[in-house]
Amino acid sequence: MDPVPSYGDVLALVTVTRTAASPLRLPASLRTATVRPVRVVHVDVAGAPTIDGAEVVRLAEDVGRPAAVDRAVAGLDPSVGWVAIADPQVEWGPGALDVLLEAASRRPRAGVLAPRLRTPSGVDVQSGGELPTLRTTLRGRIPAAPLPDGPVGWVDGTCLLVRRTAWDSVDGYDPRYPGSGSRPDPADVDLCDRLDRAGWLVAGVPAAVVTDHARGVLDPHGPHDLHGPVLETRDRSLRRYVHDRHGAPARVLMALARRR
């Protein structure tokens, strides 16, 4: 058995741009999000403007956001023990990252912590919820609710703080999920479910507030329009999620559901 890596206390932030026109709102707000120094890693697959002072990782092909994040985290040195993952359209609220880090210090079993997400007009997004049952997943639904203060089944991956030891324990995102462009994204739900199975907590921290400028005003819970090409439909991602957890019986149920 491989030894568990020992990581330091350095904080890194990973963001991924998949369109050349991706607006980078992160840098300016990051200056007031934490008093700590932050190592920024910018993964780009589309020739977007780079972030000043960031380490830039250029990918020759669009492997999808989850796999791109995996590559960035894998390239971090052992001094990095905390990784914030945020979309480029995110605007951190003042002190938001410090609030997440403080919450993590109080919850040593928290593998991932998520802030409250808001639209530019100030509407709170339903960015967490219970893990879906077989019944709800077969119906194409993932229950969503306002982010609680404390343990929750899944959280929206638009903006997260992850404990790197927890991330490593489940090998990060499953790269088979390239990202569906919808919220909640099955890739995020899958990550949270595997963390839960590995004994880690998924926690909401609504005291940390983040604005997501990619959210539509009329449909704040709908798909993002600036994430880049959709590489896989949400329905296909949900079928994979069900099959991974329920095996052969799920294939029969999914076939019956499609006939209705």
Side-chain angles (χ1 to χ4, degrees):
M1 181 179 295
D2 294 334
V4 177
S6 177
Y7 294 118
D9 201 41
V10 172
L11 172 65
L13 181 142
V14 172
T15 193
V16 178
T17 49
R18 298 177 56 234
T19 67
S22 296
L24 300 174
R25 298 182 181 271
L26 275 173
S29 64
L30 190 58
R31 300 187 188 103
T32 59
T34 178
V35 297
R36 296 178 55 168
V38 184
R39 176 178 169 184
V40 179
V41 181
H42 177 189
V43 185
D44 177 66
V45 298
T50 56
I51 299 173
D52 289 341
E55 301 171 30
V56 181
V57 178
R58 300 281 187 189
L59 299 182
E61 61 176 328
D62 190 350
V63 295
R65 179 181 179 273
V69 171
D70 284 345
R71 294 190 188 189
V73 177
L76 296 170
D77 62 67
S79 67
V80 178
W82 298 98
V83 183
I85 302 169
D87 288 347
Q89 302 89 4
V90 157
E91 180 181 353
W92 294 93
L97 247 177
D98 284 336
V99 172
L100 290 173
L101 287 163
E102 193 276 331
S105 70
R106 291 186 283 105
R107 294 183 180 274
R109 295 304 299 170
V112 60
L113 302 100
R116 182 199 309 264
L117 291 177
R118 286 181 175 170
T119 69
S121 61
V123 177
D124 283 352
V125 176
Q126 293 182 348
S127 55
E130 297 180 358
L131 289 169
T133 64
L134 174 59
R135 180 189 295 272
T136 57
T137 311
L138 288 173
R139 295 170 64 186
R141 295 175 53 200
I142 298 175
L147 188 74
D149 186 1
V152 64
W154 65 266
V155 289
D156 192 304
T158 298
C159 185
L160 301 171
L161 176 69
V162 299
R163 193 183 304 266
R164 196 172 176 192
T165 50
W167 179 268
D168 280 2
S169 74
V170 297
D171 296 323
Y173 276 119
D174 184 337
R176 296 178 304 155
Y177 293 86
S180 65
S182 63
R183 293 300 184 196
D185 194 311
D188 297 325
V189 180
D190 171 78
L191 172 67
C192 293
D193 178 53
R194 288 184 291 111
L195 284 167
D196 176 72
R197 291 167 185 258
W200 296 97
L201 289 177
V202 175
V205 187
V209 180
V210 165
T211 299
D212 181 10
H213 288 267
R215 299 278 176 174
V217 175
L218 296 180
D219 185 10
H221 314 300
H224 290 198
D225 56 0
L226 296 173
H227 277 181
V230 175
L231 302 181
E232 180 174 81
T233 64
R234 186 170 187 267
D235 181 61
R236 185 178 180 86
S237 292
L238 284 174
R239 288 201 300 270
R240 179 183 298 110
Y241 180 91
V242 171
H243 178 261
D244 284 351
R245 287 153 181 81
H246 303 283
R251 286 199 296 269
V252 175
L253 291 171
M254 286 187 288
L256 291 174
R258 286 196 292 273
R259 290 178 184 175
R260 293 177 180 176

